[in-house]
């Protein structure tokens, strides 16, 4: 068992004021593998004070200094990718193919942010006598979830540091090993004290203090829509700037001209990415009535060929769910789908055979689903897919947009011009056609209850900056 009894505050690992402890299990075996001592309000206040002190200096640092710090973190992280992969596998069970992709992307985020740090980004002229300067907003509170904690920590912190902000990070306490490993990387990168602070703590204690504390100027939150709304309400008291990346119920539209040998692997990949534990997962599969039987048969064959197992097995396409609590939540949704009259195509309640010890869920597909059923309307965060039929392109667009969410969407089809026409009508922050693409310079965020604001590239950087106009009048 790993004991984590320090918090990373003001550039060093300190014994926290908080005394509450949390034990974490390996989701594949149920074995307790970590005991972490959690931060409390006092620790959070100390981290915020350190970040504010550091901001006075870092916000005035040269652009070359910012670039240097981002490069240092990238270099230290790339040295430890194998170590991070091992931690992720044991701590939360991500399939290796997904974890490897996420880690490479996380490491690259520091270089992508570094690209943004140039004079043209932070000042420009509108016309003669009118200039604009973009100043860092202040201390940023970064609150992120457990599904690939390393990735969220990197994409958020790299952007904040590129903008000239200092940060107080509260990644999920369920990812204590990942969080601690990243804190060690920040320490070894040799940044001045207080620029990055990492707190292991719960949302109702550490997250709440970050949200209400006037020493935090900006919050970037990724998590559930319910918690995002709570943060937005609390943050307004001190007029914090807020970016919220929240839930999703993304549609995957299979067009009537789709080649199924390509379309089926694509929609299953995006629907079951990270074992379904992803806000961008395409969990509503929309199929044309004219090809219903053919597509359903192909979906069943495709998902039943996907191996479920521990992430230590590189052939596992679907790993365990992060916790027993989340496992039970998914089971309740599967039960709800059956009760509401959806037809179970494959999967269902209980563990896959031979995997009873861990938090493994049977990959499940429901057919004959109405778009307003609970399983089609709410984010399940597990390997549960709903198949919904449509009549024509207009009907597919209507069903896809008939959701409280609008984070991501996917389209599989042969006619690219027609697919793009559909994409332009979808209410989603990102639309991928015929393949999963992650471009870190393109904006990421959602419509409707999927959030407020955007992350990634210049769009994400602007969320950590305050524009200031300067006018010159000649005498």
């Amino acid at each position: 068992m790993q004991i984590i009894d320090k918090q990373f505050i003001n550039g060093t690992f300190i014994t926290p004021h908080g005394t509450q402890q949390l034990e974490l299990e390996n989701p594949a075996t149920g074995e307790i593998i970590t005991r972490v001592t959690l931060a409390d309000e006092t620790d959070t206040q100390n981290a915020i004070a350190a970040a504010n002190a550091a901001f006075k200096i870092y916000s005035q640092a040269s652009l070359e200094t910012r670039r240097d710090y981002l490069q240092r973190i990238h270099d230290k992280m790339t040295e430890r990718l194998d170590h991070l992969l091992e931690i992720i596998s044991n701590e939360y069970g991500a399939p290796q193919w997904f974890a490897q992709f996420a880690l490479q992307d996380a490491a690259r985020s520091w270089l992508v942010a570094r690209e943004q740090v140039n004079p043209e980004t932070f000042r420009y002229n509108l016309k003669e006598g009118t200039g604009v300067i973009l100043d860092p907003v202040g201390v940023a509170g970064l609150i992120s979830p457990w599904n690939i904690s390393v990735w969220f920590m990197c994409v958020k912190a790299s952007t904040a540091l590129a903008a000239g902000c200092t940060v107080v990070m509260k990644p999920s306490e369920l990812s204590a090993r990942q969080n601690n490993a990243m804190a060690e990387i920040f320490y070894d990168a040799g940044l001045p004290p207080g620029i990055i602070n990492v707190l292991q703590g719960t949302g109702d204690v550490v997250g709440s203090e970050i949200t209400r504390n006037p020493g935090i100027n900006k919050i970037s939150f990724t998590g559930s829509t319910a918690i995002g709304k709570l943060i937005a309400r609390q943050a307004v008291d001190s007029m914090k700037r807020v970016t919220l990346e929240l839930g999703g119920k993304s549609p995957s539209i299979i067009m009537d001209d789709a080649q199924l040998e390509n379309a089926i692997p694509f929609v299953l990949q995006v629907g079951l990415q990270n074992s379904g534990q992803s806000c961008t997962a395409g969990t509503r599969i929309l199929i044309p009535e004219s090809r219903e039987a053919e597509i359903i048969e192909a979906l069943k064959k495709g998902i039943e060929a996907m191996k479920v197992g521990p992430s230590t097995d590189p052939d596992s396409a679907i790993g365990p769910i992060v916790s027993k609590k989340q496992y039970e939540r998914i089971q309740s949704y599967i039960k709800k789908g059956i009760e509401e009259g959806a037809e179970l195509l494959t999967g269902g309640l209980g563990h896959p055979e031979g995997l009873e010890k861990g938090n493994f869920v049977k990959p499940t597909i429901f057919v004959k689903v109405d778009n307003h059923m609970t399983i089609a309307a709410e984010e399940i965060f597990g390997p549960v897919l709903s198949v919904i039929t449509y009549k024509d392109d207009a009907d597919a667009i209507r069903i896809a947009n008939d959701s409280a969410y609008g984070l991501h969407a996917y389209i599989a089809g042969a006619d690219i011009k027609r697919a793009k026409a559909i994409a332009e009508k979808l209410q989603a922050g990102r639309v991928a056609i015929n393949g999963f693409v992650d471009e870190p310079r393109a904006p990421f965020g959602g419509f409707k209850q999927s959030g407020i604001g955007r992350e990634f590239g210049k769009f994400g950087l602007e969320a950590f900056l305050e524009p200031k106009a300067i006018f010159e009048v000649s005498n």
Side-chain angles (χ1 to χ4, degrees):
M1 180 192 301
Q2 181 175 351
I3 304 297
I4 300 174
D5 57 1
K6 298 290 191 292
Q7 301 285 338
F8 186 62
I9 298 174
N10 203 26
T12 190
F13 289 91
I14 66 167
T15 299
H17 181 269
T19 58
Q20 180 184 353
Q21 294 187 338
L22 177 68
E23 291 185 340
L24 302 177
E25 297 178 351
N26 181 325
T29 65
E31 173 194 4
I32 296 175
I33 58 172
T34 310
R35 180 181 297 125
V36 56
T37 302
L38 302 177
D40 64 7
E41 290 93 342
T42 299
D43 297 309
T44 310
Q45 292 161 5
N46 291 339
I48 294 171
N52 272 278
F55 179 72
K56 295 174 183 178
I57 300 171
Y58 182 61
S59 61
Q60 301 302 313
S62 69
L63 299 187
E64 185 56 43
T65 295
R66 294 188 205 175
R67 286 195 290 266
D68 177 53
Y69 291 170
L70 292 165
Q71 185 71 52
R72 285 196 222 172
I73 297 172
H74 167 268
D75 293 347
K76 289 298 180 182
M77 185 173 177
T78 54
E79 292 173 3
R80 305 183 191 184
L81 290 180
D82 289 343
H83 176 57
L84 289 169
L85 179 62
E86 181 183 0
I87 289 173
I88 290 171
S89 298
N90 289 327
E91 185 168 63
Y92 113 97
Q96 284 195 24
W97 72 269
F98 183 85
Q100 289 171 343
F101 164 79
L103 283 173
Q104 292 290 341
D105 201 50
R108 181 176 53 162
S109 68
W110 300 99
L111 298 182
V112 173
R114 189 178 184 276
E115 291 176 4
Q116 305 290 324
V117 184
N118 56 71
E120 294 75 22
T121 300
F122 300 102
R123 57 177 64 226
Y124 57 90
N125 292 321
L126 291 177
K127 63 177 184 178
E128 185 176 355
T130 303
V132 176
I133 296 175
L134 297 173
D135 288 337
V137 68
V139 176
L142 311 180
I143 306 174
S144 55
W146 45 262
N147 52 327
I148 297 286
S149 182
V150 166
W151 185 85
F152 286 105
M153 293 175 76
C154 291
V155 298
K156 290 181 183 294
S158 61
T159 306
L161 263 62
C165 297
T166 55
V167 303
V168 176
M169 308 177 74
K170 195 219 85 68
S172 171
E173 67 278 11
L174 298 181
S175 306
R177 286 191 174 192
Q178 294 176 65
N179 308 339
N180 192 67
M182 285 306 303
E184 290 174 345
I185 288 170
F186 299 146
Y187 176 81
D188 289 343
L191 275 61
I195 290 179
I196 299 181
N197 304 271
V198 180
L199 297 169
Q200 307 262 23
T202 61
D204 60 338
V205 177
V206 175
S208 293
E209 181 63 31
I210 289 173
T211 302
R212 64 175 173 258
N213 192 299
I216 296 289
N217 307 100
K218 159 79 182 180
I219 291 180
S220 176
F221 170 78
T222 298
S224 72
T225 297
I227 299 300
K229 291 177 180 179
L230 179 63
I231 287 174
R233 284 193 291 268
Q234 294 178 344
V236 75
D237 289 339
S238 52
M239 294 303 293
K240 289 178 173 58
R241 279 54 178 152
V242 176
T243 299
L244 304 174
E245 193 270 286
L246 308 177
K249 196 66 183 177
S250 301
S252 288
I253 300 172
I254 299 180
M255 294 168 56
D256 57 14
D257 67 350
Q259 299 175 339
L260 297 191
E261 63 269 25
N262 300 322
I264 298 302
F266 170 44
V267 299
L268 289 178
Q269 178 197 21
V270 298
L272 300 170
Q273 57 181 288
N274 204 17
S275 307
Q277 300 174 113
S278 172
C279 54
T280 61
T283 54
R284 288 186 297 149
I285 302 177
L286 279 53
I287 68 173
E289 290 181 351
S290 60
R291 301 183 67 184
E292 179 179 7
E294 176 190 9
I295 293 175
I296 286 175
E297 180 183 357
L299 285 169
K300 185 175 188 295
K301 182 178 179 181
I303 198 170
E304 290 180 350
M306 299 176 75
K307 184 174 182 178
V308 183
S311 58
T312 50
D313 183 348
D315 294 329
S316 294
I318 301 171
I321 301 304
V322 67
S323 66
K324 288 185 173 66
K325 180 180 179 181
Q326 183 65 12
Y327 170 85
E328 293 299 338
R329 181 176 184 269
I330 296 168
Q331 296 298 302
S332 71
Y333 272 108
I334 295 173
K335 183 178 180 182
K336 190 72 171 178
I338 295 170
E339 291 172 348
E340 291 186 356
E343 182 179 315
L344 197 59
L345 177 68
T346 187
L349 295 167
H351 294 83
E353 186 177 352
L355 295 170
E356 290 80 11
K357 288 185 178 181
N359 305 325
F360 293 94
V361 174
K362 294 177 183 177
T364 297
I365 297 181
F366 283 101
V367 296
K368 308 298 183 184
V369 176
D370 182 274
N371 197 48
H372 296 111
M373 288 180 176
T374 302
I375 56 172
E378 297 183 9
E379 187 175 43
I380 298 173
F381 233 61
V384 181
L385 307 178
S386 297
V387 176
I388 304 166
T389 58
Y390 67 86
K391 294 179 174 60
D392 52 25
D393 290 357
D395 194 35
I397 294 166
R398 177 191 64 80
I399 295 170
N401 290 338
D402 184 17
S403 171
Y405 301 105
L407 185 58
H408 214 304
Y410 307 90
I411 302 171
D415 187 336
I416 299 300
K417 182 178 180 181
R418 188 172 143 218
K420 286 184 177 179
I422 293 172
E424 291 178 1
K425 294 180 174 64
L426 296 179
Q427 296 168 354
R430 282 186 167 191
V431 183
I433 300 172
N434 289 335
F436 181 80
V437 177
D438 180 39
E439 171 48 64
R441 297 165 189 83
F444 178 76
F447 288 37
K448 299 183 281 189
Q449 294 196 41
S450 284
I452 297 173
R454 293 294 185 269
E455 296 183 289
F456 293 10
K458 76 180 189 69
F459 303 92
L461 186 67
E462 288 171 356
F464 289 90
L465 297 168
E466 291 280 21
K468 175 168 56 184
I470 299 178
F471 304 99
E472 301 174 18
V473 179
S474 299
N475 293 324

